[in-house]
Amino acid sequence: MDSRPPRDRGRDEDEPTHLPPADAPEGHRAIRLSRVTRPHRADGAGEAAEGRDGAAPPPREQSPGAQPAPGPPASAPEQPAPRRGDGQAERAGRALPDSQTEIHRGHLPGSRYARLTRSRQRTFERGDLEGTVRATPVADVPRTASGRLLRDVKRLIVGRPLASSRLAEEKLAKTKALAIFASDALSSTAYATEEILLVLVLATTGALTASIPIALAIAALLVVVATSYRQTIRAYPQGGGAYKVAMENLGVTPGLIAGASLVVDYTLTVAVSTAAGVAAVTSAVPELHGERVILAVVFVALITVGNLRGVRESGSIFAIPTYIFLVTVAVMLVVGFVRVALGDISAVPQNDAIAFGGGPLTIFLILRAFSSGATALTGIEAISNGVPAFKDPAPKNAATTLTWMAGILTVIFVSLTVLAHLLHVYPSTSKTVIAQVADASFGGGPLFYLMQAATAMILVLAANTSFAGLPALASVMARDRYLPHIFAFRGDRLGYSNGIMVLAAASIGLLVLYGADTTRLIPLYAVGVFVGFTLSQSGMVLHWRHSRDAGWKRAMVINGSGAVATGVVAVIIASTKFVHGAWISLLAIAVLTALFAATGGYYERVKRRLAIASDELFIDIGARRNSQLVLVPIDDLNRATVRAVSYARSLSDNVTAIHVTDDLDEATHLRREWEHHLVDVPLVIVESEYRSLVGPVLAYVDALDRRDPDDVITIVLPEYVARWPWQRVLHNQSSGRLKKHLLARPNTVVIDVPYHVG
């Protein structure tokens, strides 16, 4: 029994409804899209409704709320001319395809028969919002054997695609988020104390006693920075961290510098942490020293695959090594302090100890040791960049996780420095400081080797913080139009796959270029993150000054102190490490800032050129040519879209626009704008829960084709044409991808309508 409303019975649901024209409302400028001034019909009835001479009958009056009379599929019922508020979405939605019916040729010439499609084979279903349909997974099934093979391989590596509706399920609980976002900061405890001692050893033996006050000063700075970023999370829950704070409070250029500094820091974090992890492995197995570059590339590839499989799954994978490291370090510190208190521990043997320089302990040397140990703060900003990845309430959970991370990091770092001093640990060329402390605390044995293995794992997995932070930062910058739009799109597993792949490629390039040598990579490190810290906290000072929220004076003092301290550290790092490689990082920050600014300027020029004034109303009043079906896929309403629609209407009066989206809020806004500016062309919204474009469009065209397999369908594609080659990557190139698949369809004509934006 047919359960559809009476007005829908007798009509193939795969057949799109086309809307009649509208007069320009008062106060709007009507812009003609063709030269003929006679009104035309677009109800899809063809010559049967209009007459052979092309004269359109006047619209029939109809009382509000009245239902149109039912009619056969070949001749849709006549409808009144639409006015503002008449509900274009409701009328267009009556015949949106849901793939329930297929028309097939019979054995005899001209014979046809209809077949009901099974539910599991349908490519569309009714959407939650009026006037929308939802593409099912069937719409995304590849149509060639090679395409299906690639899909199967991709699913084997990264898993099955996840629907956008499952995004909330991919959000992170605090325990998993700590493992993902804190691995970089926690791993720095493995070498931060050693970095302090390596500087102090340039002076006399007594200079090593300065390691404890330096560690306490760094811990105080860590608390200030962590407190500042808690406030940043509260003020900017959408993510973006230092970039957002600087952009909104200091201006565009400081914001882009902050973004560039974080990009450089995240990329170097992957390279440095991976190289350090490989060094730990080759220390245990010296035979692998010559293969360290290959090992580093393999480690980065494994972390990349883990992150491509989704945030939640990567959290499950990487949480175990992180917590093994935390437990092992805690046991080591407890055992070490207890044995020191009982006097049941001997000093660490000074094998291969680095000789003291014998120089004086100057202020500059202390500041240099402070800046070297301040690498313990790297990665602390990652949580503020990835707030949207947390479960609701995201800001509260992110702030709590940040507090946990800062507390754990402070306790481990200070405790390890104090214990190293009590055990008279000296920097060595053969054994790290943390390895010497573990050896003395555990007396060798299995726990010592477990500590070494856990250290190696946490050093490698420190790169995972960058894979969580940089793609999230890139998505925010892409939405602000300072990076190509592709970085704002989520992949099959709801992660920002493009950002993940670019980060992996950049870090692998650094590892290959520097031979996976930690000593050569370290001088490039840390300057970027402290530039970001300084800009972020300076921006927060202005934020509190303007907002004057409760406790704003205290917050200004905290952020101001942090800005001064991190600024001093940034200057010290840049000056002391400039000739050793910091200049490369500073140059990279400058180049990236210029590229971001150029990208933003280009997008702004394109936006102004494509913009449609609020009082413009586009009405196609040209004479109808024929009723051949023409489809116009669109991504937005702008002048390029209007030009494509205008050209489509010059071919036929039977024109439908289609918009594929995974964001129904954005689609609702687009429909309002469409009804405001282009009321006489129906717009079909297709919700793509798996964020694909090509599959849903092809499925929609197939649904139209099943209505009449002998009809030729014309696809008019708006296409942006940039002036310079580098500008082409700033557009999605979706028209090219779609055209490639459409040209393989029979009875399909594809027309490009270029719009020059350069």
Side-chain angles (χ1 to χ4, degrees), residues 452-527:
Q452 289 298 95
T455 302
M457 286 190 294
I458 194 66
L459 285 170
V460 172
L461 293 182
N464 193 57
T465 296
S466 294
F467 279 98
L470 189 144
L473 171 65
S475 71
V476 175
M477 297 185 70
R479 287 192 291 271
D480 290 344
R481 297 175 177 268
Y482 291 109
L483 276 177
H485 297 318
I486 58 172
F487 290 102
F489 297 151
R490 295 184 182 271
D492 285 349
R493 303 288 290 183
L494 296 174
Y496 296 109
S497 302
N498 293 313
I500 292 172
M501 296 299 296
V502 170
L503 174 60
S507 57
I508 287 175
L510 280 173
L511 288 167
V512 173
L513 182 63
Y514 285 87
D517 189 344
T518 308
T519 306
R520 297 172 61 191
L521 287 166
I522 281 291
L524 284 69
Y525 197 37
V527 63

Side-chain angles (χ1 to χ4, degrees), residues 37-348:
T37 59
R38 185 171 61 250
H40 76 281
R41 292 269 319 281
D43 58 3
E47 292 182 351
E50 180 179 347
R52 295 290 179 180
D53 58 357
R60 193 170 55 191
E61 293 295 331
Q62 184 173 345
S63 60
Q67 301 294 339
S75 180
E78 186 177 354
Q79 299 175 348
R83 298 177 177 83
R84 191 77 57 197
D86 276 356
Q88 187 201 65
E90 179 182 357
R91 292 190 304 274
R94 291 175 187 164
L96 292 174
D98 63 359
S99 304
Q100 292 186 9
T101 306
E102 295 181 356
I103 304 298
H104 295 267
R105 296 183 182 90
H107 295 291
L108 299 177
S111 64
R112 305 289 179 85
Y113 66 92
R115 186 180 70 183
L116 187 66
T117 307
R118 295 180 179 179
S119 58
R120 65 175 179 270
Q121 297 175 342
R122 294 173 186 168
T123 54
F124 289 103
E125 60 188 15
R126 294 286 175 173
D128 296 330
L129 298 181
E130 184 180 25
T132 67
V133 291
R134 182 184 299 111
T136 67
V138 179
D140 289 321
V141 173
R143 299 167 181 243
T144 63
S146 59
R148 289 188 289 272
L149 177 62
L150 289 176
R151 177 202 60 185
D152 293 340
V153 172
K154 186 177 180 181
R155 286 184 175 181
L156 179 65
I157 297 174
V158 302
R160 289 180 174 273
L162 299 176
S164 297
S165 58
R166 295 185 59 185
L167 181 60
E169 301 175 15
E170 290 296 299
K171 303 275 185 180
L172 295 172
K174 295 188 288 293
T175 51
K176 285 187 178 181
L178 181 66
I180 291 179
F181 288 106
S183 56
D184 179 20
L186 296 177
S187 71
S188 64
T189 59
Y191 53 80
T193 299
E194 184 167 5
E195 291 298 317
I196 296 174
L197 298 180
L198 284 172
V199 176
L200 294 178
V201 80
L202 299 176
T204 59
T205 306
L208 295 184
T209 58
S211 62
I212 294 178
I214 290 174
L216 292 175
I218 293 173
L221 177 61
L222 192 155
V223 172
V224 171
V225 173
T227 303
S228 173
Y229 274 107
R230 276 182 59 93
Q231 297 166 344
T232 301
I233 290 170
R234 185 182 71 182
Y236 298 92
Q238 71 275 19
Y243 160 75
K244 268 298 182 185
V245 174
M247 180 69 70
E248 295 192 6
N249 296 285
L250 301 177
V252 173
T253 300
L256 295 182
I257 293 174
S261 66
L262 290 175
V263 169
V264 170
D265 176 67
Y266 279 136
T267 306
L268 284 170
T269 294
V270 176
V272 171
S273 60
T274 304
V278 169
V281 173
T282 55
S283 296
V285 187
E287 293 80 8
L288 296 176
H289 187 269
E291 310 298 331
R292 61 183 184 273
V293 173
I294 296 177
L295 286 174
V297 172
V298 170
F299 285 157
V300 172
L302 291 175
I303 296 174
T304 301
V305 171
N307 281 274
L308 289 175
R309 293 188 67 89
V311 176
R312 188 178 64 171
E313 189 162 341
S314 66
S316 301
I317 295 172
F318 301 136
I320 296 176
T322 300
Y323 285 108
I324 289 176
F325 173 78
L326 291 178
V327 172
T328 308
V329 168
V331 172
M332 179 192 72
L333 293 174
V334 171
V335 171
F337 279 115
V338 169
R339 293 188 65 184
V340 168
L342 297 176
D344 182 30
I345 193 169
S346 57
V348 175

